[in-house]
């Protein structure tokens, strides 16, 4: 009787998870395995069928200046995007967490870009960046920068597309900080005030440590975004000018769907997967040791 | 000090709303005055009509609505039983399987677009709405979120329902799903806005008007179909995001709280 019941529960359990898990496996785990297999094989050309050569693609990668630039661009993109969105998100959350005039409007203003499709956001910013004509050009005209082509110059294209991503993402992460701030017990602040703690001291010694799990969560998500958020590059710069805005995922897209070298694209995807894996490993490493988790 | 902070918060707020405010301004004025910022310039809806005529936005919009509904329905149908089993049933391999599911939180389907394209080609679904949707139907995010919600349902309630003679699915339907309602709303809003806005994978997998969602249609429109009439581009841009913006303004509180709750599920 007992055994029959356990078996029944096991069968039920498997049947219930199976449909979702099969679909998940078909589009996450299976392609991951396929990517690794493809990445370790050479690209077939007429007369030379694809063969197993685990180093060939990676050798090409080392000698590929475009790849090196894409990797470097992506690291710069991440290094700017992650801290600036996180800082802005925290400032926004701290601002609207307190009573201040127009709090509802401010929260709306900060959050709205998050709801828009990145393509819509890119269109709006394309106008802002238009040389001579757009608001940025007109505002900077007195400084002689009116006709500067922000998206079309190799030196400013990457910062320009980064600004777009910051504008879109900061409000999204603000929500998580806001949720954490609002779940903090009010008597903590009262106790700190009774003890005569200054606001900065209270933030540094009480609020910031309590926000640590949220910060880590946002950090991991912002890092994943920094390697995934390329919609604005697809429509605005196509990775140019001179590969100045070429990011890893965009290069994979180019190699896979424009140069049709699926083996090299697979090897590039392996690099991206490795990077994402490293980010997640950091999360678990830090989680296990430092951050106290609720 | 306090005033400085308020001023800072407001400056940031104005900076953040400015691009959108400009887009609205430009879309509701004739091109000739949209650059002058005269407060009493005549308003017009012509830009919207012009944009609507210049590209098959109706078809794109319909594609997006079908796509989003399909993903929403399928995910709810697939993730609910899976989340319940992971939360409340004991079966061999459960924990390993759950860890494998969580892997998808890190590796989104668009990172694997090259191989997924091959898979979709293999089942002959390239350039179809189902082909866009398929990689997203099994969702680790949904399973994870609902599992957390189901785990917080008191065991006593479940036992009482069992004593009443409710079947397994009866218990899920009558006890678990109603109690997880706020989580379902949160999850639904996040899902709808994600798939309404999704771009890269639909761009790769579609190549005709009959399947392109609004994001891809808008991108094609603004890069190829016309010169640089900003009034018309912004009208098209606003039109394509209008349903989401309106929904967001109407359900603002739920929206914000649902994103928070999605996080609280962590």
């Amino acid at each position: 009787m007992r055994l029959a019941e356990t078996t029944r529960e096991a069968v039920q359990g498997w049947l219930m998870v199976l449909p979702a898990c099969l679909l998940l496996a078909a589009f996450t785990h299976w392609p991951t395995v396929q990517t690794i297999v493809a990445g370790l094989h050479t690209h077939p050309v007429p007369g030379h069928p694809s063969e197993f050569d685990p180093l060939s693609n990676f050798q090409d990668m080392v000698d590929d200046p475009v790849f090196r630039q894409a990797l470097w661009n992506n690291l710069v993109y991440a290094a700017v995007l992650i801290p600036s969105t996180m800082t802005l998100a925290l400032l926004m959350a701290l601002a609207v967490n307190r009573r201040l005039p127009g709090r509802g409007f401010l929260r709306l203003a900060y959050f709205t870009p998050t709801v828009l499709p990145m393509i819509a956001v890119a269109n709006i910013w394309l106008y802002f960046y238009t040389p001579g004509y757009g608001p940025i050009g007109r505002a900077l005209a007195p400084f002689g920068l009116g006709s500067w082509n922000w998206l079309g110059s190799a030196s400013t294209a990457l910062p320009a597309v980064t600004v777009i991503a910051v504008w879109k993402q900061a409000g999204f992460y603000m929500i998580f900080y806001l949720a954490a701030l609002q779940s903090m017990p009010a008597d903590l602040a009262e106790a700190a005030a009774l003890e005569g703690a200054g606001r900065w001291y209270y933030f540094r010694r009480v609020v910031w440590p309590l926000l640590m799990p949220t910060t880590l969560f946002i950090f991991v998500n912002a890092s994943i975004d920094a390697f995934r958020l390329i919609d604005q590059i697809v429509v605005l710069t196509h990775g140019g000018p001179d590969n100045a805005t070429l990011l890893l995922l965009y290069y994979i897209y180019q190699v896979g769907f424009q140069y049709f070298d699926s083996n090299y694209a697979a090897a590039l995807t392996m690099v991206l997967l490795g990077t994402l894996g490293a980010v997640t490993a950091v999360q678990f490493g830090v989680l296990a040791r430092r951050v106290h988790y609720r | 000090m306090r005033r400085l902070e308020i001023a800072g918060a407001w400056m940031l707020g104005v900076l953040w709303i400015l691009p959108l405010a400009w887009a609205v301004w430009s879309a509701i004025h004739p091109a000739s005055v949209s650059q002058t910022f005269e407060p009493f310039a005549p308003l017009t809806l012509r830009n919207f009509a012009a944009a609507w005529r210049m590209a098959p936005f109706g078809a794109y919009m319909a594609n997006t609505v079908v796509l989003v509904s399909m993903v929403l329905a399928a995910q709810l149908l697939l993730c609910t039983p899976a989340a319940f089993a992971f939360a409340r049933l004991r079966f061999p391999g459960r924990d390993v399987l759950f860890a494998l599911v969580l892997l998808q939180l890190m590796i989104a389907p668009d990172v694997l677009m090259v191989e997924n394209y091959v898979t979709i080609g293999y089942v002959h679904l390239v350039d179809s709405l189902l082909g866009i949707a398929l990689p997203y139907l099994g969702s680790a995010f949904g399973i994870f979120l609902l599992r957390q919600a189901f785990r917080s349902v008191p065991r006593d309630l479940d036992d009482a329902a069992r004593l009443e003679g409710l079947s397994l699915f009866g218990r899920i339907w009558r006890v678990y799903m109603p109690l997880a309602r706020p989580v379902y709303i949160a999850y639904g809003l996040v899902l709808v806005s994600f798939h309404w806005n999704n771009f890269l994978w639909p761009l790769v997998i579609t190549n005709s008007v009959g399947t392109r969602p609004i994001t891809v249609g808008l991108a094609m429109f603004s890069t190829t179909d016309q010169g640089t009439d900003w009034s018309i581009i912004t009208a098209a841009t606003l039109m394509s995001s209008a349903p989401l913006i309106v929904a967001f303004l109407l359900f603002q509180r739920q929206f914000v709280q649902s994103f928070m709750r999605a996080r609280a599920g962590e």
Side-chain angles (χ1 to χ4, degrees):
Chain A
M1 178 60 204
R2 188 80 197 96
L3 185 69
E5 210 170 281
T6 325
T7 316
R8 209 174 73 126
E9 189 171 318
V11 171
Q12 265 175 344
W14 271 98
L15 286 178
M16 287 171 85
V17 298
L18 212 56
C21 287
L22 279 179
L23 272 166
L24 241 148
F27 293 98
T28 302
H29 305 87
W30 170 250
T32 303
V33 173
Q34 285 300 89
T35 297
I36 295 170
V37 171
L40 301 180
H41 283 74
T42 59
H43 188 61
V45 283
H48 291 276
S50 176
E51 56 184 43
F52 180 72
D53 185 350
L55 288 181
S56 141
N57 284 315
F58 296 97
Q59 211 92 60
D60 290 349
M61 220 180 271
V62 174
D63 299 330
D64 178 1
V66 181
F67 164 72
R68 267 179 294 165
Q69 175 148 27
L71 188 64
W72 174 249
N73 286 345
N74 217 148
L75 291 177
V76 172
Y77 185 66
V80 176
L81 183 62
I82 299 168
S84 43
T85 35
M86 288 179 73
T87 310
L88 279 167
L90 180 59
L91 288 176
M92 288 170 171
L94 287 171
V96 296
N97 187 43
R98 298 184 303 140
R99 296 194 177 284
L100 88 175
R103 183 166 76 161
F105 165 78
L106 284 179
R107 200 164 70 167
L108 189 72
Y110 296 152
F111 188 71
T112 309
T114 297
V115 191
L116 301 175
M118 188 52 132
I119 301 308
V121 168
N123 274 349
I124 295 174
W125 280 87
L126 182 60
Y127 165 77
F128 264 66
Y129 285 133
T130 311
Y133 184 78
I136 294 178
R138 282 200 272 176
L140 294 180
F143 307 99
L145 281 168
S147 54
W148 184 259
N149 191 347
W150 297 95
L151 288 166
S153 313
S155 57
T156 52
L158 189 59
V161 295
T162 311
V163 165
I164 299 176
V166 171
W167 182 73
K168 179 157 165 53
Q169 290 302 98
F172 181 56
Y173 299 133
M174 166 195 79
I175 292 298
F176 302 126
Y177 270 131
L178 194 56
L181 286 172
Q182 291 190 343
S183 68
M184 268 178 207
D187 40 352
L188 265 181
E190 284 164 25
L194 278 179
E195 298 269 324
R199 278 175 57 208
W200 169 241
Y201 183 86
Y202 172 67
F203 174 79
R204 203 165 48 93
R205 302 304 293 267
V206 181
V207 177
W208 179 243
L210 283 173
L211 284 178
M212 218 45 210
T214 311
T215 303
L216 185 67
F217 170 84
I218 297 176
F219 172 75
V220 169
N221 279 280
S223 311
I224 294 176
D225 278 346
F227 290 94
R228 258 182 58 191
L229 219 57
I230 60 159
D231 293 0
Q232 83 275 36
I233 290 164
V234 178
V235 290
L236 292 183
T237 63
H238 306 285
D242 278 340
N243 298 327
T245 56
L246 192 71
L247 301 185
L248 219 45
L249 187 57
Y250 190 77
Y251 192 41
I252 293 173
Y253 167 77
Q254 273 192 335
V255 171
F257 295 107
Q258 288 169 3
Y259 313 151
F260 300 106
D261 186 343
S262 52
N263 294 89
Y264 192 46
L268 291 168
T269 309
M270 284 168 73
V271 174
L272 186 52
L273 290 175
T275 313
L276 294 174
V279 170
T280 318
V282 168
Q283 175 187 24
F284 286 116
V286 177
L287 259 191
R289 282 185 293 114
R290 279 197 37 217
V291 178
H292 87 105
Y293 211 61
R294 285 167 296 175
Chain B
M1 184 64 194
R2 174 110 176 99
R3 272 181 195 195
L4 209 66
E5 281 172 29
I6 294 174
W10 268 90
M11 258 172 63
L12 198 62
V14 169
L15 205 64
W16 240 245
I17 206 70
L18 206 62
L20 197 65
W22 166 77
V24 173
W25 175 271
S26 170
I28 59 171
H29 287 91
S32 54
V33 295
S34 71
Q35 298 312 314
T36 58
F37 302 105
E38 291 168 35
F40 299 109
L43 303 179
T44 177
L45 288 176
R46 281 216 182 141
N47 299 318
F48 292 93
W52 188 266
R53 270 199 315 274
M54 286 166 75
F57 279 112
Y60 295 152
M61 201 78 98
N63 291 337
T64 292
V65 170
V66 173
L67 175 69
V68 170
S69 321
M70 191 156 72
V71 175
L72 184 67
Q75 279 204 17
L76 292 182
L77 216 62
L78 290 166
C79 295
T80 300
F84 177 82
F86 280 126
R88 283 288 147 94
L89 296 181
R90 242 173 290 187
F91 55 95
R94 183 184 69 177
D95 297 339
V96 177
L97 206 59
F98 188 63
L100 283 172
V101 166
L102 288 189
L103 211 62
Q104 200 213 26
L105 290 178
M106 173 186 88
I107 311 172
D110 36 347
V111 171
L112 296 162
M113 61 188 165
V114 179
E115 291 300 329
N116 280 340
Y117 188 91
V118 176
T119 309
I120 294 292
Y122 192 71
V123 290
H124 301 291
L125 285 173
V126 173
D127 199 25
S128 72
L129 288 176
L130 187 59
I132 309 176
L134 215 46
Y136 299 98
L137 296 190
S139 161
F141 177 70
I143 294 174
F144 179 75
L145 215 58
L146 293 177
R147 172 179 171 270
Q148 296 296 104
F150 290 163
R151 273 160 67 105
S152 68
V153 171
R155 287 265 185 189
D156 298 353
L157 271 179
D158 194 16
D159 291 338
R162 203 195 309 247
L163 285 177
E164 295 273 324
L166 278 179
S167 67
L168 182 70
F169 285 96
R171 275 152 54 211
I172 295 177
W173 182 251
R174 298 273 183 75
V175 179
Y176 283 88
M177 288 178 69
L179 285 172
R181 221 179 92 106
V183 177
Y184 274 102
I185 293 174
Y187 169 39
L189 285 173
V190 173
L191 185 149
V192 167
S193 64
F194 179 88
H195 285 280
W196 191 284
N197 294 344
N198 200 15
F199 172 70
L200 191 60
W201 172 250
L203 173 74
V204 165
I205 202 76
T206 61
N207 49 40
S208 65
V209 171
T211 52
R212 263 178 216 138
I214 190 76
T215 46
V216 179
L218 177 65
M220 313 221 89
F221 175 74
S222 26
T223 49
T224 57
D225 292 4
Q226 40 70 58
T228 38
D229 187 336
W230 285 106
S231 297
I232 291 179
I233 295 186
T234 46
T237 301
L238 288 178
M239 215 155 58
S240 65
S241 2
L244 269 190
I245 297 176
V246 170
F248 169 61
L249 291 178
L250 284 179
F251 300 107
Q252 203 206 126
R253 193 169 289 269
Q254 286 93 326
F255 230 95
V256 171
Q257 279 174 354
S258 70
F259 275 91
M260 287 186 183
R261 206 168 264 129
R263 161 69 182 98
E266 276 296 291

